[in-house]
């Protein structure tokens, strides 16, 4: 392989890797709710930390057992129908967030551990994402 | 000037069809392209068939070992496994001579080695991902000289093969993955085409592949294929409780229609081979998002946080609406679906790599192989021999440890413990002619039409709608026999005997056949054919 082609190949690889990165990181832009998409060219404001106030709000919302409250705490597309019985069932699994365990994964994504009460008490890792205005629950995983 | 124009015209003709080699040229496996990592054909066990394992894009043969383990557990002692390894060119498109021509050369060598070991030279293939396209190209003279023929190729299993491309084909993420693999792979030849990801583009009966990519031809007529693919879904869960399911219709890399629609993957306008033995199976897995996040966090090397964040965003924004269904159907996936599929490829039991050890995938492959390898009762005979075959042909088809028993004017070739009817696998040869007159198949053998002992008269008629059907009172006047034979050759028959019965009336639909024989009309009827 000539030097030219070697350089060209390396440039190609660099470009490809950058593009992959952009696509992966850039997923945010296409995944964000259109209603919250920033239109200003100004730099985005810093994302505030996950606070005890927001943790309490989320616990209260989940305990309410109704769909509107549930959607205020959990990232669910507005178009996605939810089974009211499942939402009601989740009200018994109210998480108590342990803010000492908050860990930043990436800009706009953190984990926090929570003790879940109810019939089968357990400790969970809760994955939160910043939806542009508040922290929302995206996923959970049992603490190994 | 005219000469120059002619040269230009020829050159333009050749280069106007890139990806399709000129048919006159010999497409051979160059010595430098021959991978040293393929296993040597060697010798074969007496009763074992060769099964060649072929890996996929950016892979190597090490990844195929779970398939050997799984198949050996399910069909023990049936196969001697060999590995074709093209890790030195695993980012070339499958039509490349370094893959297709070298694979054809390898299959020829394995087939010849099997013949040299006393076998029939018939080779089975189990291929993962792009390996399934490689064997298709290897059977076409435009990509391999000489190509693999239907005489050599006994059957093909494809696992997660993108018969209609991958949504990551011909995309920047796909290209990025391929280049990253090339950067870290010391086995690759220094000069490589790197065109696999480009040619793995999604295509269909109406959407062509990129013009510089050759389209995989169909396998030779008569070669059976089983296409197995993973089909992952994610159950959105919260604290262990289910919310809703998201069907990814994919193994993460190859969509289900692409992994299963072999018949739809031929040239545009070509309906595909008709009446071929083609089967498909999608293996479904449902993983909860709780499990997925746990697995994602536990992967080694660690999953990049950008992927985890993208998965979290996708979980929070993806729902099953028309837009997603359209993406699934068209193969043109949006970023959310792409991320969730990539994560499924890494974590789902039906993920692109995990399918090689998935029990249901291996069950499907093993079932197909059993179906292809177990001889069937055919008109006039069993497996590859029928009445009229020579004694030498019969001995080649019979088990190596078969023995010979005298039957007056006949000899019976079979395994002593089992050859007495009805538990026999015995071949009856007339001494005077030296030709096969009939076969006692194993008690549980079924016919090529899929029926066997236990079939009712109606089921026999339905299985052989075009055959001549006749009741005869045979077996020394003790049993009714339903005799079926092809109109074109009525002396090659299959007889379904109906136990102890009376001559007063033929069996009804409540009766079931108790044994099956095949041979000449008289033999299949149960008449005495060896005494006089």
């Amino acid at each position: 392989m000539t030097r030219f082609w070697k350089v060209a190949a390396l440039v190609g690889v660099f470009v490809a890797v950058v593009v992959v990165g952009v696509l992966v990181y850039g997923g945010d832009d296409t995944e964000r709710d259109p209603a919250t998409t920033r239109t200003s060219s100004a730099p985005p404001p810093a994302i505030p930390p996950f606070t005890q106030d927001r943790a309490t709000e989320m616990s209260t919302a989940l305990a309410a057992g109704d769909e509107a409250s549930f959607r205020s705490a959990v990232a669910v597309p507005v178009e996605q129908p939810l089974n009211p019985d499942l939402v009601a069932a989740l009200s018994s699994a109210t998480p108590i967030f342990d803010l000492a365990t908050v860990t930043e994964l990436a800009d706009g994504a953190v984990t926090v551990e929570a003790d879940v009460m109810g019939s089968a008490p357990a400790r969970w890792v809760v994955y939160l994402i910043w939806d542009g205005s508040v922290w929302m629950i995206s996923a959970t995983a049992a603490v190994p | 000037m005219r000469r120059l124009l002619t040269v230009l015209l020829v050159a333009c003709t050749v280069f106007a069809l890139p990806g399709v080699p000129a048919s006159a040229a010999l497409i051979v496996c160059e010595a430098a392209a021959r991978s040293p990592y393929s296993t040597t054909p060697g010798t074969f066990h007496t009763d074992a068939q060769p099964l060649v394992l072929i890996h996929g894009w950016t892979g190597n043969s090490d990844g195929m070992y779970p398939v050997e383990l799984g198949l050996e557990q399910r069909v023990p002692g049936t196969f001697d496994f060999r590995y074709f390894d093209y890790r030195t060119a695993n980012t070339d498109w499958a039509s490349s001579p370094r893959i297709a021509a070298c694979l054809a050369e390898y299959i020829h060598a394995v087939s010849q080695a099997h013949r040299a070991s006393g076998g029939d030279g018939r080779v089975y293939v189990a291929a993962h991902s792009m390996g399934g396209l490689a064997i298709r190209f290897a059977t076409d003279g435009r990509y391999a000289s000489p190509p693999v023929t239907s005489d050599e190729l006994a059957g093909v299993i494809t696992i997660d093969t993108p018969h209609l491309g991958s949504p990551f084909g011909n995309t920047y993420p796909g290209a990025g993955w391929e280049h990253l693999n090339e950067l870290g792979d010391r086995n690759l030849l220094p000069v490589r085409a790197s065109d696999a990801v480009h040619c793995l583009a999604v295509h269909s009966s109406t959407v062509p592949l990129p013009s510089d990519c050759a389209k995989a031809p169909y396998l030779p007529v008569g070669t059976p294929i089983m296409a197995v693919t993973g089909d992952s879904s994610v159950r959105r869960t919260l604290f262990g409780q289910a919310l809703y399911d998201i069907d990814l219709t994919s193994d993460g890399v190859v969509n289900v229609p692409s992994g299963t629609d072999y018949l739809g993957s031929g040239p545009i306008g070509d309906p595909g081979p008709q009446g071929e033995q083609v089967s498909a199976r999608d293996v479904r897995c449902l993983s909860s998002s709780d499990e997925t996040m746990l697995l994602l966090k536990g992967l080694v090397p660690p999953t990049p946080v950008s992927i985890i964040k993208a998965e979290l965003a996708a979980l929070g924004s993806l729902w099953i609406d028309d837009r997603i269904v359209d993406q699934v159907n068209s193969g043109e996936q949006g970023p959310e679906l792409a991320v969730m599929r990539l994560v499924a490829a890494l974590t789902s039991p039906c993920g692109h790599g995990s399918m090689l050890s998935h029990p249901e995938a291996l069950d499907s492959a093993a079932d197909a192989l059993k179906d292809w390898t177990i001889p069937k009762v055919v008109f006039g005979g069993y497996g590859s021999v029928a009445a009229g075959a020579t004694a030498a042909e019969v001995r080649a088809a019979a088990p190596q440890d078969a023995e010979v028993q005298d039957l007056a004017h006949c000899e019976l070739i079979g395994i002593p413990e089992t050859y007495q009817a009805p538990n026999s696998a015995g071949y009856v040869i007339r001494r005077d002619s030296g030709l096969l007159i009939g076969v006692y198949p194993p008690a549980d053998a079924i016919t090529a039409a899929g029926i066997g002992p236990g079939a009712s008269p109606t089921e026999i008629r339905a299985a052989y709608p075009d055959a001549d059907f006749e009741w005869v009172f045979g077996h020394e006047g003790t049993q009714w026999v339903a005799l079926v034979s092809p109109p074109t050759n009525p002396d090659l028959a299959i007889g379904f005997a109906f136990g102890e019965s009376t001559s007063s009336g033929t069996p009804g639909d409540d009766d079931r056949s108790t044994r099956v024989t095949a041979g000449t009309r008289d033999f299949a009827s149960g008449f005495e054919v060896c005494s006089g």
Side-chain angles (χ1 to χ4, degrees), chain B residues 76-397:
Chain B
T78 307
F79 298 105
D80 276 344
F81 295 89
R82 298 292 184 270
Y83 290 80
F84 175 70
D85 189 314
Y86 60 95
R87 72 179 73 183
T88 56
N90 64 15
T91 55
D92 281 11
W93 179 224
S95 64
S96 159
R98 293 186 286 208
I99 302 176
C102 290
L103 173 58
E105 181 186 83
Y106 186 75
I107 299 274
H108 296 322
V110 169
S111 176
Q112 284 163 13
H114 189 236
R115 285 181 200 279
S117 300
D120 60 6
R122 305 267 288 159
V123 180
Y124 293 85
V125 162
H128 181 231
S129 196
M130 192 175 77
L133 302 177
I135 186 61
R136 291 175 62 175
F137 281 113
T139 61
D140 190 312
R142 291 174 296 172
Y143 309 103
S145 305
V148 175
T149 66
S150 59
D151 286 343
E152 295 170 296
L153 194 57
V156 174
I157 305 285
T158 64
I159 301 173
D160 289 343
T161 288
H163 293 291
L164 296 171
S166 162
F168 293 99
N170 209 19
T171 63
Y172 289 117
W177 173 257
E178 182 172 276
H179 285 299
L180 284 172
N181 271 273
E182 289 186 330
L183 276 176
D185 192 342
R186 293 179 184 171
N187 294 304
L188 281 167
L189 293 170
V191 180
R192 50 185 173 262
S194 305
D195 54 351
V197 70
H198 171 61
C199 294
L200 284 165
V202 169
H203 55 99
S204 67
S205 57
T206 53
V207 178
L209 268 178
S211 60
D212 53 343
C213 299
K215 194 164 190 179
Y218 288 121
L219 293 168
V221 172
T223 303
I225 178 171
M226 161 61 93
V228 185
T229 199
D231 186 354
S232 299
S233 294
V234 175
R235 171 159 290 171
R236 182 102 192 264
T237 44
L238 213 58
F239 304 115
Q241 300 205 41
L243 293 176
Y244 49 88
D245 294 347
I246 302 169
D247 188 355
L248 302 178
T249 321
S250 170
D251 68 358
V253 176
V254 176
N255 295 352
V256 171
S258 179
T260 53
D261 193 8
Y262 164 76
L263 285 178
S265 66
I268 289 177
D270 186 340
Q274 303 298 303
E276 290 301 300
Q277 204 175 340
V278 177
S279 45
R281 167 86 196 277
D282 66 315
V283 177
R284 297 183 65 84
C285 294
L286 178 63
S287 305
S288 74
S289 58
D290 287 346
E291 295 164 347
T292 301
M293 294 311 297
L294 199 59
L295 289 168
L296 207 52
K297 280 288 281 181
L299 287 178
V300 177
T303 312
V305 289
S306 58
I307 297 285
I308 295 177
K309 184 185 171 189
E311 172 77 353
L312 293 174
L315 278 171
S317 63
L318 195 63
W319 69 98
I320 299 302
D321 66 348
D322 291 347
R323 187 173 58 103
I324 297 301
V325 173
D326 286 348
Q327 288 178 22
V328 166
N329 291 339
S330 69
E332 294 174 6
Q333 59 194 3
E336 307 100 328
L337 189 57
V339 165
M340 290 198 73
R341 282 176 165 172
L342 272 179
V343 169
L346 293 170
T347 60
S348 168
C350 291
H352 193 64
S354 301
M355 281 290 286
L356 293 175
S357 52
H358 194 290
E360 286 183 45
L362 294 167
D363 286 346
S364 300
D367 288 347
L369 288 166
K370 279 182 205 166
D371 189 41
W372 299 339
T373 51
I374 294 173
K376 305 289 189 306
V377 181
V378 296
F379 287 124
Y382 179 60
S384 59
V385 293
T390 65
E393 290 169 334
V394 170
R395 287 198 174 89

Side-chain angles (χ1 to χ4, degrees), chain B residues 321-497:
Chain B
D321 66 348
D322 291 347
R323 187 173 58 103
I324 297 301
V325 173
D326 286 348
Q327 288 178 22
V328 166
N329 291 339
S330 69
E332 294 174 6
Q333 59 194 3
E336 307 100 328
L337 189 57
V339 165
M340 290 198 73
R341 282 176 165 172
L342 272 179
V343 169
L346 293 170
T347 60
S348 168
C350 291
H352 193 64
S354 301
M355 281 290 286
L356 293 175
S357 52
H358 194 290
E360 286 183 45
L362 294 167
D363 286 346
S364 300
D367 288 347
L369 288 166
K370 279 182 205 166
D371 189 41
W372 299 339
T373 51
I374 294 173
K376 305 289 189 306
V377 181
V378 296
F379 287 124
Y382 179 60
S384 59
V385 293
T390 65
E393 290 169 334
V394 170
R395 287 198 174 89
Q400 295 285 320
D401 50 352
E403 294 182 6
V404 179
Q405 183 188 17
D406 283 336
L407 293 177
H409 293 280
C410 300
E411 59 184 29
L412 176 60
I413 299 177
I415 299 174
E417 288 76 17
T418 59
Y419 65 20
Q420 288 301 321
N423 301 314
S424 61
Y427 300 81
V428 179
I429 295 173
R430 278 288 300 195
R431 287 185 195 283
D432 49 9
S433 66
L435 299 177
L436 181 74
I437 58 170
V439 182
Y440 298 116
D444 57 353
I446 60 170
T447 71
I451 60 171
S456 69
T458 301
E459 288 168 339
I460 295 168
R461 287 177 191 271
Y464 292 96
D466 301 322
D468 289 339
F469 182 98
E470 183 185 356
W471 285 110
V472 296
F473 199 63
H475 289 286
E476 299 175 349
T478 60
Q479 295 177 8
W480 279 106
V481 177
L483 206 63
V484 291
S485 58
T488 52
N489 194 348
D491 199 41
L492 293 181
I494 301 174
F496 295 84

Side-chain angles (χ1 to χ4, degrees), chain A residues 35-46:
Chain A
T36 64
T37 302
R38 298 181 190 96
T39 53
S40 167
S41 59

